[in-house]
């Protein structure tokens, strides 16, 4: 079993990191959270989850053990596969996800593409006690509060506009969410203008 890979970051996209260790280049599927954390670094250490199937051998890389633990918990839930779990960890940080689960906020979990109402409720029921038992929930901010929910219509329109301008949807969504959490009342055009300055 591979616990982690430490080496030179030779290629990086929002969904994939290539780490060269001992002359071997390992391609690891990553979340947006990990992408943001390792962007601009030359040397990285990524914790690994190995997904071995009949037709594929996929490595998932995580910037922290807590993110990997959260991923491993998510894929134990019926209806949540590895790619859906990665999508969830791209849309929310570990602490935000823990907060949503511990407070029973199914709507926030449903905001992740591919997660329906039943799956969101199943995630909450299955994982609420486990995140506390494993200590993952310690990452919840003081007071158990997270950033104010954003206007999903404005968010979707802004992401859509930026995507049409040629930006990748994943990093775009992250930037748009950040802007709306800081300034929830901004109209779409202002969000797009601010995002254009921030998207690399």
């Amino acid at each position: 079993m591979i616990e982690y890979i430490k080496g030179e970051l030779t290629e990086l996209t929002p969904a994939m990191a290539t780490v060269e260790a001992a002359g071997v280049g390992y391609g690891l599927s990553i979340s947006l959270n990990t992408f943001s954390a390792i962007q601009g670094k030359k040397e990285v250490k990524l914790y690994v989850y190995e997904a071995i199937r009949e037709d594929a051998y996929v490595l998932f890389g995580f910037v922290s053990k807590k993110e990997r633990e959260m991923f491993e918990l998510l894929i134990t839930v019926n209806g949540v596969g590895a790619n859906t779990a990665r999508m969830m960890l791209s849309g929310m940080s570990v602490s935000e996800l823990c907060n949503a689960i511990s407070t029973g906020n199914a709507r926030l979990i449903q905001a992740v593409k591919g997660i329906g109402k039943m799956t969101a409720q199943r995630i909450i029921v299955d994982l609420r006690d486990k995140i506390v038992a494993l200590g993952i929930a310690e990452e919840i901010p003081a007071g158990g509060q997270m950033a104010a929910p954003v206007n999903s219509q404005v968010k979707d329109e802004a992401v859509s506009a930026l995507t049409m301008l040629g930006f990748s949807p994943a990093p775009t969504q992250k930037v748009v969410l950040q802007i709306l959490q800081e300034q929830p009342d901004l109209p779409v055009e202002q969000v797009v203008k601010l995002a254009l300055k921030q998207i690399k």
Side-chain angles (χ1 to χ4, degrees), residues 2-5 28 45-49 60-65 68:
I2 301 172
E3 171 64 13
Y4 63 82
I5 293 173
L28 300 114
K45 177 182 179 180
L46 293 178
Y47 293 93
V48 174
Y49 174 82
F60 288 86
F62 305 93
V63 73
S64 68
K65 280 189 174 182
R68 181 175 65 181

Side-chain angles (χ1 to χ4, degrees), residues 2-148:
I2 301 172
E3 171 64 13
Y4 63 82
I5 293 173
K6 186 178 181 183
E8 184 188 351
L9 183 63
T10 56
E11 283 180 50
L12 181 65
T13 70
M16 176 76 72
T18 303
V19 181
E20 186 178 324
V24 179
Y26 296 91
L28 300 114
S29 295
I30 57 170
S31 70
L32 269 181
N33 286 321
T34 291
F35 170 75
S36 301
I38 64 175
Q39 210 174 5
K41 293 189 177 179
K42 286 184 178 168
E43 292 280 321
V44 294
K45 177 182 179 180
L46 293 178
Y47 293 93
V48 174
Y49 174 82
E50 298 171 83
I52 303 167
R53 301 192 299 266
E54 281 182 24
D55 58 341
Y57 176 51
V58 183
L59 298 177
F60 288 86
F62 305 93
V63 73
S64 68
K65 280 189 174 182
K66 273 197 162 63
E67 191 188 19
R68 181 175 65 181
E69 284 172 3
M70 192 75 230
F71 175 87
E72 288 173 343
L73 281 180
L74 286 167
I75 59 176
T76 65
V77 178
N78 191 12
V80 179
N83 283 326
T84 304
R86 180 174 66 158
M87 186 93 70
M88 292 184 75
L89 288 165
S90 292
M92 289 182 261
S93 68
V94 174
S95 58
E96 286 169 340
L97 193 47
C98 281
N99 197 24
I101 292 168
S102 61
T103 57
N105 191 339
R107 280 183 63 193
L108 191 64
I109 296 170
Q110 272 177 255
V112 177
K113 189 180 171 191
I115 299 285
K117 188 177 180 181
M118 294 293 287
T119 306
Q121 288 171 345
R122 206 178 293 128
I123 288 167
I124 290 165
V125 171
D126 287 5
L127 303 187
R128 188 178 264 164
D129 294 335
K130 291 179 185 174
I131 57 170
V132 176
L134 274 171
I136 301 175
E138 287 170 1
E139 286 201 13
I140 295 175
Q145 292 301 311
M146 62 166 289

